[in-house]
Amino acid sequence: MEYNGSHSTNSLSIESLMRPSSVAIIGVSTKSGTAGQVVLNNLVTGGYDGDIFLVGRSGGEIDGRPILSTIDELPLGVELAILVLPSAAVLDTVKACVQRRVKAAVCFASGFAEMGTAGRELQQHISDVARDGNLTLLGPNTVGYFNYVDAFYVMMVQLVLPPKLDPSAGPAIAVVAQSGGVGTHVAASLRSRGVPLSYMMTTGNEAQLSLAELIEFFAEDKHTGAVIVYAEQIRSATSFLTAVEHARRNGKGVVLLHPGRSQLSQEAAKSHTGALAGNHAAMQLITEYAGVVTVDSLEEAIDVGQLLLRYPEAPSGGLGLVTASGAICGLLQDYVEPLELDLPPLGEDQILALKEHLPDFLPPRNPLDLGTLFTYQPELIELGVRHVLADPKIGSLIISLAMPGPEASVNWLEHYLRGSGDSQKPAIFVMQNEDVPLAPAFVELAQQHGAVVMRSPERAVRALARFTRFGRSQKAVSPASLAAESRLPHFRLGQGPISEWRGKEVLSRLGVRVPDGALATGVDEALVIANRVGYPVVLKAQEATLAHKSEVGGVLLNIKDNSELCRAWSRIQDNVHRALPGLNLDGVLVETMNDHGLELVVGASRDSQWGPIIMVGLGGVWVEALGDVKLLPPGLPASAIVERLQTLKASKLLNGFRGSRPVDLQEVARVVSLVGRVMQERPEILEIDINPLVVYSEGQGAAALDALFICEDPASTPTQDVSQ
């Protein structure tokens, strides 16, 4: 017979996972406490009222429900199969489910990709069978999921089941994680704050169903207002970013926590889900500029997720602080600076408005300290919050107060709510004494009005700093800030590393200044070039694989006349041949000596998954010694590039230091932008390195003193680029 379910499905039916009209639990036993019985109890206790079929080799019954001995006895078209089986039985079970036209399955078993090559191959085989059979597969190595909307809970551990979502609570957060432990932790933490949840999905190894498909589902789900993602690997950058864009178009933000900054973290992820390490810096950069709020900790994921649900528009202004403690004022001012957040002074209008209500010993400023006066005049909370939020330089606000008695806490919250009113600027009410439970009436009032309440001022500052950084990055790449540009002039490149002289020819064609000079293949030719460009000159040995010329004596500086050049020509040949016997030079680059300036580096590399990444920072030998660089996506406007340059540790050198003039940041930004465009338009280029780019005083431009291009075969398949 064929089961007539109530839902139509397609080849990837997430709906059949979330709200199936029929369920088969495969691998059950009559033995008490087994995984199959736990899954059954969770379904029944949650109130699931669809048809449930049980399958187990030993037969029998559980609570009056018969246990079928084979999958072949299932009716055709069951919507969801829950597999409580060891890994060795999964492949045959998936094949049998396909034969019975099961629409979706969830697999708890571990022992696949996380076990190495053999496990990865088995997992891929299972995925292929499921996909070819139009079976949507969640897992393996998942612990299950919660659908709070319908109170449908698929978990292999016995739970105190969470309540069903109250639709009147408004939009809720969906949590999707490649780790069951992280997913349940984030969900439980949000629930303890009274934040509504729509779904909590754990995807495990993602043999088929991935983060991207689930984000696509949440983007269209009417109950979901924001998504928190924990990913140990993003398997398809393009699919992930497409899903994020879909969610953002529908007004739903995405928060991403992705471990892997350290080698140890990458190894841990690999052993957990078989996730292969990617370029964490590239991932973080591209996802953030594409509209994902990337965070570095579980605390930030929870805090920023709560903010994003309540305030879909991220701030770009500074932080306003209202408190009753001078110590909190001092502490938070220490916190904001390393977080690249500021506490801007209040404008004159706000100062005058607050002066009418504050005594002389409480000056109207940011941070605003209300002292103890507000305990007798709680309306000062309302006034302070309203006027600080009204300042156009303020993008977000924290009010941080020590916890009073239950009645007073509710009164203070009421004044805060009146003060914040209809403002769309993110605001957090911090009720300190975080180890002391809040009064039930306070919690109820906060939930009723969607107030973001936290217990730690430090966490609140970190969350708003992260949220503000995201808002600023989005503002920098808004359509209004980007102008259309004509395509770059064509130039030819070979394969592999390209010699400096050829790289400089490309840069010159693109409009980047390089020192006057040319390649010489003999000493007579070198003399002609030197006399044309004028002494003093520099000689540089040229060969595509000779990346560090100075280390082998391949660079000779400040050559002043013809006779010195002849001696230098012989010396440079001897140096290179002594260090690298058998290396055949293209020739020697003869260039005019360049004027002194500030040495920067501008580089780019193409990540196989995330596309081109641009780097700019202090150059010359300092790039390796200090690592003072910033990573940027291609396509940023000049203003955003200059802003990022100002966050370098060496930014004082850019702006005039000890009598020097400010350098030409606009020209640096132009070169950075140009390198980004080259990487976008020429996918065969894998790396560009301009080091140093010597930048001169404001209005005087910059010059590339060295250049390296590395290319793949232009006829080969272009490297994936998701940055555009």
Side-chain angles (χ1 to χ4, degrees):
M1 69 177 174
E2 181 167 356
Y3 184 84
N4 295 316
S6 61
H7 299 287
S8 62
T9 60
N10 54 33
S11 61
L12 199 62
S13 176
I14 298 175
E15 192 74 14
S16 293
L17 277 169
M18 296 297 195
R19 41 188 64 91
S21 60
S22 56
V23 174
I25 305 174
I26 301 175
V28 299
S29 165
T30 56
K31 185 178 179 181
S32 178
T34 54
Q37 291 203 27
V38 169
V39 170
L40 175 62
N41 290 339
N42 286 332
L43 288 179
V44 173
T45 305
Y48 178 70
D49 59 2
D51 292 329
I52 298 177
F53 303 95
L54 306 180
V55 180
R57 289 184 301 176
S58 301
E61 64 176 42
I62 299 175
D63 297 332
R65 300 177 187 272
I67 301 175
L68 307 176
S69 58
T70 68
I71 294 172
D72 292 340
E73 297 177 55
L74 286 174
L76 292 175
V78 170
E79 287 214 81
L80 175 64
I82 303 173
L83 312 185
V84 285
L85 299 159
S87 58
V90 170
L91 177 58
D92 288 340
T93 301
V94 169
K95 289 178 178 178
C97 286
V98 166
Q99 290 296 316
R100 301 307 293 168
R101 302 180 197 168
V102 174
K103 296 181 174 67
V106 54
C107 178
F108 297 123
S110 57
F112 294 95
E114 73 276 17
M115 300 302 291
T117 301
R120 188 173 292 111
E121 290 175 352
L122 176 58
Q123 179 176 298
Q124 184 60 52
H125 191 183
I126 293 168
S127 172
D128 293 342
V129 169
R131 183 168 281 106
D132 292 344
N134 291 327
L135 173 72
T136 300
L137 177 65
L138 177 66
N141 199 18
T142 174
V143 301
Y145 55 97
F146 295 156
N147 168 1
Y148 300 91
V149 175
D150 301 288
F152 181 68
Y153 307 116
V154 178
M155 279 280 169
M156 64 180 298
V157 293
Q158 194 68 52
L159 300 167
V160 176
L161 295 176
K164 186 176 180 178
L165 176 69
D166 179 2
S168 66
I173 291 179
V175 178
V176 55
Q178 290 172 341
S179 159
V182 169
T184 52
H185 170 77
V186 171
S189 297
L190 290 167
R191 282 189 56 246
S192 71
R193 296 184 181 189
V195 179
L197 292 170
S198 54
Y199 307 92
M200 193 287 294
M201 307 290 297
T202 68
T203 60
N205 290 13
E206 297 185 7
Q208 186 199 81
L209 193 63
S210 72
L211 301 171
E213 284 91 9
L214 288 168
I215 294 171
E216 292 276 8
F217 176 84
F218 300 142
E220 292 294 330
D221 180 69
K222 65 181 180 180
H223 303 284
T224 300
V227 185
I228 297 176
V229 178
Y230 173 79
E232 294 176 355
Q233 183 199 34
I234 296 173
R235 286 162 169 80
S236 168
T238 301
S239 297
F240 182 81
L241 295 180
T242 299
V244 168
E245 182 183 359
H246 184 186
R248 293 187 68 221
R249 283 199 310 270
N250 290 354
K252 303 175 183 185
V254 177
V255 177
L256 171 65
L257 172 60
H258 191 312
R261 294 190 303 277
S262 69
Q263 184 64 37
L264 289 175
S265 178
Q266 292 175 359
E267 289 299 321
K270 184 177 179 180
S271 65
H272 179 218
T273 64
L276 300 178
N279 186 328
H280 187 274
M283 175 282 305
Q284 188 169 27
L285 181 72
I286 297 300
T287 55
E288 184 166 299
Y289 278 95
V292 179
V293 189
T294 60
V295 297
D296 291 335
S297 69
L298 280 169
E299 288 183 346
E300 282 188 341
I302 295 161
D303 297 342
V304 176
Q306 184 181 2
L307 277 171
L308 192 57
L309 179 66
R310 174 65 178 82
Y311 302 102
E313 190 71 27
S316 59
L319 173 68
L321 172 63
V322 178
T323 185
S325 167
I328 293 295
C329 290
L331 285 170
L332 291 194
Q333 287 184 97
D334 281 344
Y335 295 150
V336 297
E337 185 176 347
L339 294 172
E340 298 182 15
L341 191 59
D342 59 317
L343 288 158
L346 292 179
E348 192 63 28
D349 291 345
Q350 280 67 50
I351 291 174
L352 292 174
L354 286 168
K355 266 187 176 179
E356 296 180 18
H357 304 279
L358 295 175
D360 291 341
F361 62 85
L362 293 177
R365 60 190 178 191
N366 183 31
L368 179 60
D369 181 3
L370 299 176
T372 58
L373 189 61
F374 84 99
T375 59
Y376 307 100
Q377 296 177 252
E379 62 272 14
L380 290 178
I381 295 174
E382 179 180 341
L383 289 166
V385 168
R386 176 180 295 119
H387 290 298
V388 172
L389 280 173
D391 193 300
K393 298 188 296 296
I394 299 296
S396 60
L397 177 135
I398 292 173
I399 179 166
S400 185
L401 303 173
M403 187 172 178
E407 185 175 341
S409 70
V410 173
N411 188 18
W412 294 357
L413 180 58
E414 288 173 338
H415 283 288
Y416 160 75
L417 292 169
R418 285 196 286 268
S420 55
D422 296 328
S423 173
Q424 292 306 302
K425 295 180 179 180
I428 300 174
F429 191 113
V430 176
M431 186 60 77
Q432 296 159 204
N433 306 51
E434 59 185 303
D435 293 325
V436 180
L438 295 166
F442 180 98
V443 174
E444 183 179 351
L445 181 64
Q447 292 178 7
Q448 181 183 347
H449 291 272
V452 177
V453 175
M454 296 186 188
R455 308 303 306 279
S456 160
E458 293 95 335
R459 282 183 68 165
V461 168
R462 288 200 303 272
L464 283 175
R466 180 70 66 175
F467 204 25
T468 301
R469 189 183 80 177
F470 171 72
R472 290 171 178 170
S473 72
Q474 292 302 291
K475 187 177 179 181
V477 295
S478 65
S481 68
L482 300 175
E485 297 180 272
S486 59
R487 291 187 69 84
L488 298 170
H490 182 72
F491 53 87
R492 293 180 179 275
L493 290 170
Q495 186 176 354
I498 309 302
S499 296
E500 176 190 354
W501 66 276
R502 293 188 59 212
K504 283 181 172 175
E505 285 184 345
V506 171
L507 291 179
S508 181
R509 183 170 173 77
L510 293 170
V512 177
R513 189 201 307 179
V514 298
D516 194 5
L519 183 74
T521 56
V523 67
D524 291 339
E525 191 176 3
L527 290 168
V528 171
I529 296 168
N531 282 278
R532 177 178 64 80
V533 302
Y535 287 104
V537 296
V538 57
L539 299 187
K540 295 183 175 182
Q542 297 293 296
E543 201 278 333
T545 62
L546 191 57
H548 301 287
K549 297 178 283 292
S550 59
E551 294 180 5
V552 297
V555 179
L556 298 178
L557 306 174
N558 206 29
I559 298 162
K560 297 182 178 63
D561 54 37
N562 286 353
S563 60
E564 191 172 333
L565 187 146
C566 291
R567 291 193 297 272
W569 181 272
S570 298
R571 189 162 72 252
I572 204 169
Q573 302 286 338
D574 291 342
N575 290 345
V576 173
H577 292 153
R578 187 182 307 113
L580 299 168
L583 181 68
N584 295 316
L585 295 177
D586 299 343
V588 175
L589 183 60
V590 182
E591 291 181 330
T592 182
M593 285 289 296
N594 214 65
D595 295 333
H596 291 293
L598 179 64
E599 292 189 351
L600 299 181
V601 59
V602 177
S605 61
R606 188 177 303 279
D607 182 75
S608 60
Q609 186 177 23
W610 297 100
I613 305 297
I614 315 304
M615 177 187 73
V616 60
L618 202 60
V621 298
W622 300 113
V623 66
E624 295 182 14
L626 300 179
D628 187 14
V629 298
K630 295 294 178 181
L631 299 180
L632 307 172
L636 286 185
S639 58
I641 296 170
V642 170
E643 183 179 316
R644 294 304 292 159
L645 284 167
Q646 295 289 9
T647 64
L648 289 166
K649 297 183 182 71
S651 60
K652 288 182 180 179
L653 301 177
L654 305 176
N655 299 309
F657 185 67
R658 295 198 172 183
S660 64
R661 293 181 58 193
V663 302
D664 198 336
L665 290 179
Q666 291 301 319
E667 177 62 10
V668 177
R670 189 185 74 84
V671 174
V672 170
S673 178
L674 189 63
V675 168
R677 291 182 61 201
V678 169
M679 294 295 288
Q680 287 179 310
E681 293 187 19
R682 299 295 295 267
E684 77 274 17
I685 299 176
L686 302 179
E687 291 184 33
I688 299 175
D689 187 37
I690 303 173
N691 184 26
L693 177 76
V694 174
V695 57
Y696 306 112
S697 298
E698 206 165 27
Q700 300 302 307
L705 300 196
D706 202 349
L708 171 68
F709 286 73
I710 299 178
C711 304
E712 66 178 356
D713 184 352
S716 65
T717 302
T719 304
Q720 185 181 47
D721 180 357
V722 299
S723 63
Q724 301 182 51

